Amino acid sequence: IKVDLNIDGLGQYEVDTSVPFMDHMLSLMAKHGFFDLKIKARGDTNVDSHHTVEDVGICLGEGFKQALGKKDGIVRYGNVSVPMVEAMASVVLDISDRPFLVYNSKLKKGKTGGFDTELIWEFFRAFSSSAGITLHINVMYGKDTHHTIEAIFKAFGRALDKATTIDKRIEGVMSTKGKL
């Protein structure tokens, strides 16, 4: 897996994970988060997409952690709700070096296209753990699985964009302890 990431980008992307649905979701995340993102991944997709999706989450999380460096001046928190036709998803996150995932979704175990929907949880678990981000994903409603997952990824990109924004009023990190 090769990841090139610019968190201060324009939302340009080239994503090829060999999992087409994941490529679509990561492209949405990059576009809506204004991240320039290139990902090239190959895995054992002849078995299934599990390892590739999880490993992309790990590598992308590590990329964000590295790009943030000491986290000086970042806002730290991001929260966004995004509608996608009949679906609504909310993402709230804290770049705190306290990895934790809360994932409230009524997505049924199954597939959208050929993609296993339970891999969405795997991706976000891997990302939050490797990035050191507390991540809350709440799906309020949605009937179409594709629309629901799309709302999650758009909200995720936008929340990350908010949290990684530099605020010149912040000296060091946004913490009374002096570190994150």
Side-chain angles (χ1 to χ4, degrees), residues 90-108:
S90 170
V91 172
V92 180
L93 58 86
D94 176 11
I95 301 173
S96 60
D97 212 21
R98 291 184 184 103
F100 196 82
L101 174 64
V102 174
Y103 183 79
N104 293 313
S105 171
K106 292 185 170 115
L107 284 176
K108 295 180 178 129

Side-chain angles (χ1 to χ4, degrees), residues 13 25 58 65 68 71 90 113 120 140 151 170 177:
Y13 53 88
M25 294 302 117
I58 292 168
K65 189 169 193 155
L68 289 167
K71 303 176 189 84
S90 170
I120 298 304
M140 285 72 95
I170 300 170
K177 295 183 292 186

Side-chain angles (χ1 to χ4, degrees), residues 61-82:
E62 289 173 354
F64 267 90
K65 189 169 193 155
Q66 182 179 350
L68 289 167
K70 294 179 182 178
K71 303 176 189 84
D72 287 349
I74 65 165
V75 173
R76 179 178 166 179
Y77 298 99
N79 62 304
V80 174
S81 294
V82 169

Side-chain angles (χ1 to χ4, degrees), residues 21 86 107 111-112 117 143-150:
F21 185 79
E86 84 300 337
L107 284 176
K111 294 186 181 288
T112 181
T117 57
K143 291 186 189 230
D144 183 288
T145 302
H146 185 119
H147 290 166
T148 302
I149 296 169
E150 195 166 320

Side-chain angles (χ1 to χ4, degrees), residues 134-147:
T134 298
L135 177 59
H136 292 252
I137 298 171
N138 292 289
V139 175
M140 285 72 95
Y141 43 83
K143 291 186 189 230
D144 183 288
T145 302
H146 185 119
H147 290 166

Side-chain angles (χ1 to χ4, degrees), residues 29-70:
M29 182 207 76
K31 183 72 171 180
H32 287 267
F34 296 99
F35 305 118
D36 293 342
L37 178 63
K38 290 183 183 178
I39 297 179
K40 180 81 169 174
R42 291 293 173 259
D44 58 354
T45 55
N46 58 314
V47 175
D48 67 17
S49 299
H50 184 108
H51 294 130
T52 301
V53 169
E54 183 178 25
D55 291 349
V56 166
I58 292 168
C59 292
L60 188 58
E62 289 173 354
F64 267 90
K65 189 169 193 155
Q66 182 179 350
L68 289 167
K70 294 179 182 178

